[in-house]
């Protein structure tokens, strides 16, 4: 890219990973959840620019770019498989469409081969089995109705990306642009739409800005004196989209930093690996909020964060309460019967191997002996981030847990189950 667009692009992909909100959410809807999506969109956007934007004269470094591509693909493979698949598809499409990719096809095929070879290594077998189980177990979002509703809800962005593709098509029709770039823009938008359809996000598709930059480059190279040549002001109009994106990201980050450091209604967490996290203060106590909940979860479907029975502060309190049950010097393998197994990260303990990081009720249940083979302690939350997940886990594995984990401890927020003949975790509340 030319210098000014290059600066805007670098700011876009950098600020994206720093955002204290989920992709597509309102700028003031602060949350550190699902940060992997911000990293995934950023890496995929960088990869698509390298694949579909031909290098400027004298700047081609094919093996360096292929090495960058292999690094980004490997990063995406471990981050979230949908981004890695989209990235590999982008490389394959680039090898077909883009002359600069075809000239150096050996370097890029080597990058794909390196990714495939690395994925096939023995230490990835359990991960690949987990991916296959998710793909065949109903976890993929394939409902046509929900995708159509998402299209309608985000009609402005899809209209904008369609307009960019149409402008590129118009330039091709005037013979000022090769048709491959037009097809590339459609591929970029299509890959972005597929990835977005598999994410839990309200809107936005950051990779679509690559198509915008393709349009910018095409307008720069329209021949001087060409009949019907676009006005130079059109370049500024094209830059408005990325410029507003960068401005919005910077404003969100600045406002969050101000709120996190100057607002007395904010609590900064100082314990465990959550230290530095800030959440809105809630004067009510998590134990009072959970009082009388017995041995169940409180959020039946969790359709909206506003319906959660616990605030962000209370939820973090429940995680810290669980962390205080364990001795920092004696790491154990912990599994939470919830959609997300957050405790290993919170505690800094190694996660159970071959168990789950994400767990949903859809699809076939895995054998209990496999799920819990490497688990020392099972925690059942009284509040779950996704209630049907915990209910499904208890229904499916309850009999196994009662036999394999007879040592039981009740706290205000958790039921703690430990294997027989294991030392009991330290209980800060003194309850057994």
């Amino acid at each position: 890219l030319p210098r000014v667009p290059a600066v805007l692009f670098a700011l876009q992909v950098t600020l994206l990973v720093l955002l204290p909100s989920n992709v597509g959410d309102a700028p003031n809807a602060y949350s550190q959840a699902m940060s992997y999506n911000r990293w995934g969109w950023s890496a995929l956007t960088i990869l698509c620019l390298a694949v579909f934007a031909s290098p400027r004269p004298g700047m081609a470094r094919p093996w360096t770019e292929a090495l960058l591509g292999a690094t980004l693909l490997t990063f995406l493979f471990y981050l979230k498989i949908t981004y890695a698949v989209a990235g590999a598809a982008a490389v394959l499409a680039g090898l077909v469409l883009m002359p600069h990719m075809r000239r150096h096809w050996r370097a890029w095929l080597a990058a794909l081969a390196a990714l495939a070879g690395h994925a096939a290594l023995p230490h990835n077998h359990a991960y690949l089995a987990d991916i296959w189980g998710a793909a065949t177990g109903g976890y993929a979002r394939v409902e046509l109705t929900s995708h159509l509703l998402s299209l309608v809800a985000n009609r402005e962005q899809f209209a904008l990306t369609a307009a960019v593709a149409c402008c590129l098509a118009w330039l091709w029709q005037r013979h000022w642009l090769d048709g491959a770039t037009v097809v590339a823009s459609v591929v970029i938008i299509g890959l972005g739409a597929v990835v977005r359809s598999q994410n839990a996000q309200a809107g936005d598709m950051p990779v679509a800005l690559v198509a915008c930059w393709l349009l910018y480059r095409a307008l720069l190279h329209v021949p001087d004196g060409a009949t019907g040549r676009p006005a130079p002001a059109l370049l500024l109009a094209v830059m408005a989209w990325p410029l507003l994106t960068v401005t919005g990201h910077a404003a969100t980050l600045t406002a969050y930093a101000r709120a996190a450091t100057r607002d007395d209604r904010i609590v900064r967490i100082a314990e465990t690996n959550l230290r530095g996290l800030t959440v809105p203060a809630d004067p009510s106590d998590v134990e009072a909020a959970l009082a009388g909940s017995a041995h169940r979860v409180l959020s039946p479907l969790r359709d909206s964060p506003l319906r959660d029975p616990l605030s962000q502060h209370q939820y973090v309190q429940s995680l810290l309460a669980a962390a205080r049950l364990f001795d920092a010097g004696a790491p154990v393998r912990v599994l939470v019967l919830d959609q997300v197994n957050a405790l290993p990260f919170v505690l800094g303990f190694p996660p159970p191997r071959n168990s789950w990081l994400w767990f949903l009720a859809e699809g076939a249940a895995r054998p209990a002996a496999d799920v819990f083979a490497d688990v020392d302690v099972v925690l059942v939350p009284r509040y779950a981030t996704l209630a049907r997940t915990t209910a499904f886990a208890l229904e499916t594995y309850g009999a196994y847990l009662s036999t394999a984990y007879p040592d039981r401890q009740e706290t205000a927020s958790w039921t703690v189950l430990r294997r027989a003949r294991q030392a009991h975790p330290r209980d800060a509340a003194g309850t057994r």
Side-chain angles (χ1 to χ4, degrees):
L1 292 174
R3 183 169 299 172
V4 173
V7 170
L8 284 177
F9 179 83
L11 287 173
Q12 177 211 349
V13 296
T14 302
L15 291 174
L16 182 59
V17 301
L18 297 175
L19 281 181
S21 59
N22 293 330
V23 177
D25 280 1
N28 62 343
Y30 302 134
S31 171
Q32 300 296 339
M34 296 187 292
S35 59
Y36 56 87
N37 279 327
R38 302 194 289 275
W39 283 97
W41 280 120
S42 182
L44 182 62
T45 301
I46 295 170
L47 180 65
C48 283
L49 185 73
V51 166
F52 294 112
S54 58
R56 299 168 69 188
M59 298 186 67
R61 298 178 179 85
W63 284 99
T64 300
E65 292 191 359
L67 178 61
L68 168 68
T71 303
L72 290 172
L73 287 170
T74 303
F75 172 68
L76 293 175
F77 172 71
Y78 286 116
L79 187 71
K80 190 175 182 180
I81 192 63
T82 48
Y83 291 102
V85 171
V91 172
L92 291 173
L95 288 170
V96 174
L97 294 171
M98 310 311 294
H100 73 280
M101 293 286 288
R102 290 198 300 270
R103 282 195 298 270
H104 308 293
W105 61 271
R106 291 181 179 85
W108 284 99
L109 283 184
L112 292 177
L115 173 67
H118 181 80
L121 292 176
H123 71 267
N124 287 320
H125 290 177
Y127 179 43
L128 293 173
D130 198 37
I131 292 172
W132 178 253
T136 58
Y139 292 169
R141 296 180 172 93
V142 295
E143 303 85 358
L144 179 60
T145 302
S146 64
H147 296 327
L148 290 176
L149 290 174
S150 176
L151 175 64
V152 173
N154 295 275
R155 54 194 176 275
E156 296 89 353
Q157 180 171 34
F158 283 108
L160 186 58
T161 54
V164 168
C166 288
C167 288
L168 287 167
W170 179 77
L171 293 174
W172 167 72
Q173 189 269 338
R174 305 283 296 187
H175 305 289
W176 297 335
L177 180 68
D178 59 284
T181 303
V182 181
V183 178
S185 69
V186 175
V187 170
I188 292 167
I189 295 168
L191 290 175
V194 170
V195 170
R196 188 197 165 286
S197 71
Q198 301 305 305
N199 287 350
Q201 62 182 76
D204 204 3
M205 200 164 61
V207 74
L209 277 172
V210 175
C212 182
W213 289 124
L214 292 181
L215 176 59
Y216 182 90
R217 283 165 50 102
L219 291 172
L220 277 181
H221 293 93
V222 172
D224 291 332
T227 304
R229 190 175 189 270
L234 188 57
L235 285 172
L236 296 178
V238 172
M239 287 183 65
W241 182 7
L243 182 59
L244 288 173
T245 299
V246 169
T247 302
H249 290 350
T252 299
L253 189 61
T254 302
Y256 176 78
R258 182 180 180 86
T261 56
R262 302 185 185 181
D263 195 328
D264 56 6
R265 296 169 296 176
I266 295 294
V267 172
R268 182 179 291 105
I269 309 303
E271 305 173 55
T272 71
N273 279 345
L274 295 179
R275 57 187 174 274
L277 176 68
T278 55
V279 292
D282 189 324
S284 59
D285 188 84
V286 63
E287 295 189 5
L290 291 167
S293 63
H295 190 40
R296 59 186 178 84
V297 292
L298 298 180
S299 183
L301 291 177
R302 198 173 182 267
D303 294 325
S304 165
L306 298 179
R307 298 179 187 175
D308 282 350
L310 296 186
S311 67
Q312 294 183 44
H313 187 195
Q314 290 173 325
Y315 177 60
V316 170
Q317 279 184 299
S318 73
L319 293 177
L320 296 178
R324 295 186 192 106
L325 298 171
F326 297 90
D327 225 339
V332 294
R333 310 274 182 167
V334 183
L335 179 65
V336 179
L337 294 190
D338 198 353
Q339 180 188 14
V340 182
N341 184 27
L343 257 296
F345 168 75
V346 173
L347 292 162
F349 291 174
R353 294 186 61 83
N354 301 331
S355 190
W356 68 64
L357 290 176
W358 292 95
F359 180 69
L360 296 174
E362 296 83 355
R366 291 170 53 199
D370 294 342
V371 172
F372 299 98
D374 194 38
V375 177
D376 300 315
V377 181
V378 177
L379 277 81
V380 184
R382 297 181 186 274
Y383 165 79
T385 58
L386 195 62
R388 64 175 180 269
T389 295
T390 301
F392 175 78
L394 289 174
E395 179 182 352
T396 305
Y397 303 117
Y400 176 89
L401 292 173
S402 63
T403 302
Y405 297 85
D407 191 353
R408 175 169 173 157
Q409 174 189 9
E410 297 285 353
T411 73
S413 306
W414 303 89
T415 296
V416 185
L417 306 175
R418 289 186 66 94
R419 288 191 182 276
R421 299 182 301 278
Q422 296 275 346
H424 215 294
R426 177 167 53 87
D427 181 2
T431 58
R432 291 295 296 265

